[in-house]
Amino acid sequence: MVLSEANWDHHVPLPKLGAAHSRILVGLLALVCFINSYDGEFVFDDSEAIVNNKDLHPSSPLNNIWTNDFWGSNLSSNSSHKSYRPLTVLTFRMNYLLAGGLHPVGFHVLNIALHCVISALMIDVFAILIGGLTYDSKGRRLNQVPRSSLLAALLFAVHPVHTESVAGIVGRADLLCALFFQFSFLAYCRAFRGGNDKTFSVSWVAASFLLCAAAMLCKEQGITVLGVNAAFDILLICNVNIGELTQRLLLKGKPVDMNALVRSRLVTRLTLLLFGGGVLLYARWRIMGTGPPAFTEVDNPASFAENVFLRIVNYNYYYSLNAWLLLCPWWLCFDWSMGCVPLIKSVSDWRIISLLLLWSCLIGLISQALCTQDGIKRRTLSFGLVLLVVPFLPASNLFFRVGFVIAERVLYLSTAGYCLILSYAVGYSCCLWRKHKKLLQVAMMGLLCVNIGRSAQRSQQWRSEQSLFTSALSVCPLNAKVHYNVGKNLADRGNQMAAVQYYREAVRLHPRYVHAMNNLGNILKEKNELVEAEELLTAAVHIQPDFAAAWMNLGIVQNSLKKFAEAEQSYWNAIKYRRKYPDCYYNLGRLVWYADLNRHVDALNAWRNATMLKPDHSLAWNNMVILLDNTGNLAQAEMIGREALVILPNDHTIMFSLANVLGKLQKYKESEGFFLHSLKINPSAASCHGNLAVLYHRWGKLDLAKKHYELSLKLDANAPGTRENYSMLRRKLDQLQKTKG
């Protein structure tokens, strides 16, 4: 159990710092890298996981986080993503409560703090993996490799690939998972504090399992800590030489001493790890309910390749790209789907070379780890490979199809393995080339500085959707989703004209991109380019017949083109695929009222459905009042108007419509009150001043009528009917003046 100090540790070109100083240094550098994201916006996936997630609201039952997925959908739903991360959602809810609403600063600050803590804790993890478990006379664990563990932790803290996990709030899942991953590993290490491999603490092993379960409740990747714990037990606690063991089994040389493994109780512990992992996986499967989520070819095209060989080739190409992001994290993108990484379809594709390079490096590292007689080197490289590969397995497509091509966030834990190997390489090189130690030191410091600069730059890009999306254009110009998101961001900021070209490019790159077609069709509708809008929306619903929003927008366009029968059918199709669709009911009501004046009841029913589904649907309430007013049903119009104002007490449009009804019912005082209240909220409404003037005119309050006619004409000189009414009032006032005279 007690290992001598690694013979290359003192060659690592870093000062030997105490434990506290090392942690402070690592935490500070992690803070420097990502601090500029603290006041960023909610970006990209934050909209669905946080802004639109009702599970964060205090009004939502707390129990919902245990039955819903990460995005707020019920796990039993077929549309659920099946990402079960209740502990992560719980921290989002805490942020919401502490900030008193959706204020992103608190969310970002916690993410940054978590990364700083994780980076500092990596010193302990690396110290154990490289230098082993060594205790002083007081039972305190010693760090036998202070320089190497510090260097690896520094490299981890400043790696730019972490930006998505730290600066993107939904990356909280990766951060919390990594934190509990570390706790689980350290707890498993505590089980062997007695100093030999034959005795271990069952309570600490149990604690390790519980912490593993907590990691899984933050993100599914957490279960991989059991694999790391098993490797730690085999390689360090029992000091098994895998290369030598393999040679004995394959070459049938000196027999393997199985009794020694039994005496060490390794088999017992591995059985416990296997059983615990099985229980956690079974529980996770039961929680998913309806089975794994269904992904489309757009999400992960390699998994839909025409044969097994092409799938394997493309999966390995994805692995090589992930490895490249660790080596050279310059080309970073928020999304790698939709044509960003074209499939390899033949062996003549030059990109095959990257697969060969990847496996050449991996085989070289594996052979170095297995064949060396240097115990420290063997363990360091073995643990580096374990940390590099094992946490990545859930994202590898080996066990199940995943919903992405490349996701930088899934490399958060794997980066630790890369940093461990790189730290060893630096120390070994300094030991081997002592004459060039200064040069190696400069190179190492240069790498750290470049990574710090790149992390800070990338964090800046993650501060807003505008900068995040536009930064991806140069990295993934073939990605239709990148162009779509740039266009959507421009449209949301009011720049419709600029958005059109990006939507068009998204449709060109991916001709079946229905969301881009729908958004482009909406903009063309607003520009009155109705024929092209109809073509795009028709194509969208043909590609995806259950796209309710596209059906509704198609109905609006067809209504504008006077194709009333087709428009009504489109609205009903939208409602067929989305039963609770208040906006569609509202548009349906407008259609059957304006297109066919004899279908008042159908219009009222449609608007009533809209208000039942969405009680604060102001336009539907107002249209009901107006329709009943126009058809002479004044008593019912009054009742509907008063009902609406109970729900929307400050809606000036409903007040205006109800005031008109009350005026016709000769309830002048009440009508006046609603007109004045409406004007208090919206004093520049010319029509409200004009109708209030008409009320005063009828009521006989001619001076007040004159005042409001003049205010109405001042606000809108062409207000319909107002000038004529004002002229009538002036004549009447003149007559009264003459009579008095």
Side-chain angles (χ1 to χ4, degrees), residues 483 486-491 493-505 520 523 527:
H483 292 274
V486 173
K488 186 175 183 300
N489 181 258
L490 287 167
R493 291 188 290 114
N495 195 345
Q496 305 276 5
M497 296 299 294
V500 167
Q501 64 173 326
Y502 288 101
Y503 282 139
R504 289 193 188 280
E505 181 65 7
L520 178 57
I523 293 178
K527 293 172 62 181

Side-chain angles (χ1 to χ4, degrees), residues 25-35 112 115-116 119 157-158:
L25 176 61
V26 171
L28 283 175
L29 282 185
L31 183 66
V32 168
C33 289
F34 303 106
I35 187 63
I112 296 167
H115 178 63
C116 293
S119 299
V158 304

Side-chain angles (χ1 to χ4, degrees), residues 255-266:
V256 179
D257 186 3
M258 297 303 296
N259 290 329
L261 294 179
V262 173
R263 287 194 301 272
S264 70
R265 303 182 70 182
L266 173 64

Side-chain angles (χ1 to χ4, degrees), residues 614-634:
K614 187 181 179 184
D616 61 347
H617 203 301
S618 170
L619 293 173
W621 284 114
N622 198 42
N623 274 17
M624 280 194 284
V625 176
I626 293 171
L627 186 151
L628 291 167
D629 181 3
N630 290 350
T631 54
N633 295 299
L634 299 178

